[in-house]
Amino acid sequence: MSETWLYDEHPAMFRAHPFLFILLLISVVGIVAIGVWWVLRKGERLALSDREVLLERGLLAKQRTEIALSSIRSVRITQTLGQRIFNVGNVEVFSAGDMAEIAIKSMPRPDRIRAIAASRNLDLLPQR
């Protein structure tokens, strides 16, 4: 004797609860995006000492850029309205030419870099 099932006892989650499935999918994508952002930010460090500015990038493979404070010509800090609200900004350090030797995006409290550079008598470009 053959049995005919009219419905599955365990329907697919999407068909049974489409809004819950979409919410779960968005949550998982958001958590993955935050994880990727965190790993990228952990691999970036900007340090200012008495003699030099140091930018280090990378977790496993490292890229290191150093500029002597005496050779720095200008520091540019740019902030959008959203960055100003969250107190982050883009920092560029120039020693010669039109290309920034050190550029870091979305750095927290960029005004600290401006204050430290100003105390070292560096020529600073105005904020945009």
Side-chain angles (χ1 to χ4, degrees):
M1 176 188 233
S2 158
E3 294 182 12
T4 305
W5 294 94
L6 296 178
Y7 77 110
D8 188 7
E9 287 185 34
H10 304 288
M13 177 150 174
F14 179 72
R15 284 185 298 203
H17 307 285
F19 296 113
L20 184 60
F21 178 78
I22 291 171
L23 182 64
L24 179 65
L25 185 65
I26 290 171
S27 300
V28 168
V29 169
I31 289 170
V32 169
I34 288 172
V36 167
W37 171 82
W38 183 81
V39 167
L40 291 175
R41 289 293 141 209
K42 281 306 238 183
E44 199 167 49
R45 184 177 82 121
L46 182 67
L48 193 64
S49 72
D50 292 340
R51 296 182 318 224
E52 65 188 11
V53 177
L54 167 70
L55 175 65
E56 240 180 31
R57 285 193 168 123
L59 287 174
L60 301 177
K62 293 278 186 185
Q63 175 189 359
R64 187 178 180 133
T65 305
E66 298 176 23
I67 299 177
L69 279 178
S70 60
S71 67
I72 293 177
R73 300 292 172 243
S74 60
V75 176
R76 179 186 299 154
I77 298 172
T78 55
Q79 293 177 299
T80 63
L81 178 61
Q83 287 176 324
R84 290 184 71 193
I85 290 170
F86 292 106
N87 198 18
V88 298
N90 304 330
V91 177
E92 296 173 298
V93 178
F94 298 86
S95 67
D98 295 337
M99 298 293 292
E101 279 77 18
I102 292 180
I104 187 167
K105 292 184 179 183
S106 301
M107 182 179 168
R109 298 187 309 263
D111 52 326
R112 288 186 318 156
I113 297 298
R114 177 175 287 283
I116 292 170
S119 71
R120 306 261 194 269
N121 295 324
L122 298 177
D123 180 26
L124 301 177
L125 294 176
Q127 281 185 302
R128 286 189 199 173

